[in-house]
């Protein structure tokens, strides 16, 4: 980081990373007191990834009310994968070894722009733009099959590409406690989970794929304030519209839905060291690619008491009181018609005890 004239700063950096994963999954069946290789399930996946990046960043104030920041990152990726498995050969009527290889080599630029305007003591505005990358997880690239039941399995997709997005936000802050944000993003080659079916074998398999282009626009409002001396809280709400357009299972899809998200957290303090907290969230119906997710909600509460001359505290917390954190949804396109319910173990009651030896204060002159 190098300071320049007029309070400006220039920063530059370089980063390099290397990743190698070696996932050797060998399945064997125990037959007649000996282990026999299960070729239909075994797989050996080797993946190498090299990422090098360099960036520059410039920031400065533009008068008394304006400040700016400009950045640019150059990123280069080289990756290769090798899946050593078995495939059934109908000519020889047995499983034979095969190698499925892929390579990735791409270089991209990622600019960022940040501009702030402080109108007065009560109002400030910020606009920022950035281009981002989201790479697939390593396990999502592995074509190994993971069986869920007799007719359903998960499988990685070595053809996955990274997704790229353009994001722009305009926010306004009032008196430091109320923030309103307008946002828009465009994402290409979005990575989403899809269901595909084999009508001959009656099998269904789940995998990640670059299924579509997503356009998202929304408005978010957040507020945090001490309402009374004994009562403080914050609230966050977000209304967004998601639209997906692409091709799945050779079927053209165009799906759009508006979603509402509300999160609330309230803290209370009473005399003699008593305190309480109430929190919760609600999310309306949503869509993720080709999967529709039904509304869900959760409410949690906690109580605390200071003891031992305020050096200790006891806390009782109840999470997801009404057991509302249940994910339900469906997916319907082409020849796929599926429903799912995912019940999380989210309801819990916990009690904790905390003791502070020095109230968090360090003696003067003490060593770190």
């Amino acid at each position: 980081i190098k300071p320049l004239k007029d309070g400006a700063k220039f920063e530059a950096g370089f980063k390099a990373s290397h990743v190698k994963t070696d996932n050797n999954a060998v399945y064997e069946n125990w037959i007649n007191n000996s282990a026999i290789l299960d070729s239909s399930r075994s797989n050996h996946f080797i993946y190498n990834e090299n990422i090098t990046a360099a960036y520059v960043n410039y920031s400065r104030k533009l008068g008394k009310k304006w400040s700016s920041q400009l950045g640019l990152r150059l990123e280069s990726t080289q990756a290769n994968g090798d899946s050593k498995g078995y495939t059934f050969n109908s000519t020889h009527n047995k499983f034979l070894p095969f190698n499925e290889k892929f390579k990735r080599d791409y270089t991209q630029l990622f600019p960022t722009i940040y501009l702030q305007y402080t109108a007065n003591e009560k109002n400030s505005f910020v606009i920022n733009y950035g281009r981002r990358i989201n790479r697939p997880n390593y396990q999502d690239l592995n074509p190994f099959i993971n069986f869920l039941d007799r007719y359903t399995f998960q499988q990685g997709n070595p053809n996955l590409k990274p997704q790229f997005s353009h994001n722009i936000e305009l926010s306004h802050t009032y008196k430091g406690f109320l923030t309103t944000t307008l946002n828009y993003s465009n994402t290409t080659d979005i990575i989403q989970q899809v269901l595909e079916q084999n009508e001959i074998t009656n099998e269904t398999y789940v995998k990640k794929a670059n299924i579509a282009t997503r356009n998202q626009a929304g408005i978010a409002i957040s507020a945090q304030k001490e309402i009374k001396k004994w009562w403080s809280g914050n609230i966050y709400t977000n209304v967004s519209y998601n639209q997906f357009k692409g091709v799945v299972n050779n079927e053209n899809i165009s799906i759009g839905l508006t979603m509402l998200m509300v999160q609330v957290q309230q803290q209370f303090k009473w005399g003699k060291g008593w305190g309480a907290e109430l929190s919760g969230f609600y999310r309306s119906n949503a869509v993720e690619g080709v999967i529709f997710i039904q509304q869900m909600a959760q409410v949690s509460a906690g109580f605390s008491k200071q003891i031992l001359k305020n050096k200790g505290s006891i806390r009782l917390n109840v999470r997801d009181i009404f057991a509302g954190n249940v994910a339900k949804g469906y997916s319907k396109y082409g020849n796929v018609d599926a429903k799912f319910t995912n019940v999380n173990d989210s309801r819990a009651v916990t009690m904790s005890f905390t003791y502070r030896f020095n109230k968090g204060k360090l003696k003067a002159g003490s060593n770190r």
Side-chain angles (χ1 to χ4, degrees):
I1 302 176
K2 182 179 181 181
L4 303 175
K5 295 181 180 180
D6 300 326
K9 291 182 179 180
F10 177 80
E11 179 181 353
F14 175 81
K15 180 180 179 180
S17 67
H18 171 73
V19 172
K20 179 179 181 179
T21 65
D22 191 331
N23 185 3
N24 191 10
V26 178
Y27 279 80
E28 295 175 332
N29 295 320
W30 194 256
I31 301 175
N32 297 328
N33 294 324
S34 60
I36 305 300
L37 178 68
D38 188 342
S39 303
S40 63
R41 300 189 182 189
S42 298
N43 179 267
H44 187 189
F45 181 66
I46 301 173
Y47 179 76
N48 289 277
E49 181 182 79
N50 292 291
I51 302 175
T52 54
Y55 76 93
V56 292
N57 193 65
Y58 175 78
S59 62
R60 66 168 297 175
K61 289 187 175 182
L62 306 173
K64 295 182 179 180
K65 296 186 176 183
W66 292 87
S67 61
S68 65
Q69 183 172 302
L70 302 175
L72 184 64
R73 187 175 84 255
L74 176 67
E75 197 170 284
S76 179
T77 302
Q78 291 81 37
N80 62 80
D82 185 4
S83 178
K84 302 177 181 180
Y86 296 84
T87 184
F88 186 76
N89 187 295
S90 58
T91 303
H92 297 85
N93 196 32
K94 63 179 180 179
F95 285 93
L96 296 178
F98 80 99
N99 281 15
E100 183 177 355
K101 299 181 179 181
F102 67 89
K103 289 185 178 181
R104 300 283 187 270
D105 190 349
Y106 54 90
T107 301
Q108 297 283 338
L109 283 171
F110 300 94
T112 56
I113 301 173
Y114 173 91
L115 188 63
Q116 181 177 9
Y117 172 66
T118 304
N120 48 50
E121 294 181 354
K122 297 181 179 180
N123 298 278
S124 64
F125 299 85
V126 172
I127 184 170
N128 65 78
Y129 161 80
R131 183 173 185 254
R132 299 172 185 170
I133 181 175
N134 184 22
R135 294 181 177 82
N137 296 327
Y138 303 130
Q139 61 267 31
D140 292 334
L141 294 168
N142 188 350
F144 172 67
I145 293 176
N146 177 30
F147 288 89
L148 304 177
D149 56 47
R150 183 178 179 182
Y151 295 106
T152 311
F153 59 87
Q154 291 178 326
Q155 184 175 22
N157 182 4
N159 296 316
L160 276 178
K161 298 179 293 184
Q163 66 180 41
F164 297 92
S165 63
H166 297 274
N167 306 278
I168 186 169
E169 289 184 346
L170 173 63
S171 63
H172 167 246
T173 301
Y174 176 71
K175 288 187 176 181
F177 84 95
L178 178 64
T179 301
T180 304
T181 303
L182 297 173
N183 61 78
Y184 171 78
S185 68
N186 171 265
T187 306
T188 56
D189 290 325
I190 188 167
I191 301 172
Q192 288 289 339
Q193 195 173 68
V194 297
L195 297 171
E196 297 188 7
Q197 290 185 163
N198 186 329
E199 295 181 343
I200 298 177
T201 61
N202 292 325
E203 289 180 319
T204 300
Y205 56 97
V206 184
K207 71 175 185 179
K208 295 287 185 69
N210 301 102
I211 65 170
T213 295
R214 179 182 66 185
N215 289 291
Q216 182 183 61
I219 179 172
I221 300 175
S222 63
Q224 183 174 356
K225 189 175 178 61
E226 184 181 75
I227 304 169
K228 299 288 185 180
K229 289 184 178 180
W230 54 271
W231 179 17
S232 62
N234 60 72
I235 182 172
Y236 170 82
T237 181
N238 186 348
V239 179
S240 62
Y241 177 77
N242 286 278
Q243 184 183 53
F244 296 84
K245 289 186 177 181
V247 178
V248 181
N249 286 6
N250 298 319
E251 294 280 343
N252 291 317
I253 62 168
S254 180
I255 301 173
L257 190 67
T258 300
M259 182 196 71
L260 169 66
M261 165 73 81
V262 179
Q263 292 177 323
V264 180
Q265 187 175 30
Q266 305 292 304
Q267 295 90 25
F268 307 92
K269 293 181 179 180
W270 302 304
K272 298 183 180 181
W274 282 96
E277 181 177 300
L278 180 65
S279 63
F281 76 88
Y282 167 79
R283 191 190 68 189
S284 66
N285 295 339
V287 61
E288 286 293 336
V290 293
I291 299 177
F292 289 88
I293 304 173
Q294 298 180 15
Q295 62 184 0
M296 60 192 307
Q298 178 175 309
V299 177
S300 303
F303 299 89
S304 62
K305 177 69 170 69
Q306 300 290 328
I307 59 175
L308 302 176
K309 297 181 180 180
N310 293 332
K311 287 187 175 182
S313 63
I314 297 177
R315 179 176 175 83
L316 174 67
N317 187 72
V318 184
R319 186 183 66 198
D320 196 8
I321 298 173
F322 304 106
N325 192 8
V326 177
K328 295 182 178 180
Y330 65 92
S331 189
K332 189 173 183 178
Y333 57 90
N335 65 345
V336 173
D337 189 354
K339 295 182 179 180
F340 70 88
T341 300
N342 185 13
V343 181
N344 298 309
D345 187 15
S346 56
R347 178 192 278 176
V349 179
T350 59
M351 178 172 283
S352 61
F353 169 74
T354 304
Y355 184 79
R356 296 171 292 277
F357 291 94
N358 59 3
K359 294 185 179 180
K361 295 181 180 179
L362 295 176
K363 294 181 180 180
S366 60
N367 293 328
R368 181 177 179 180

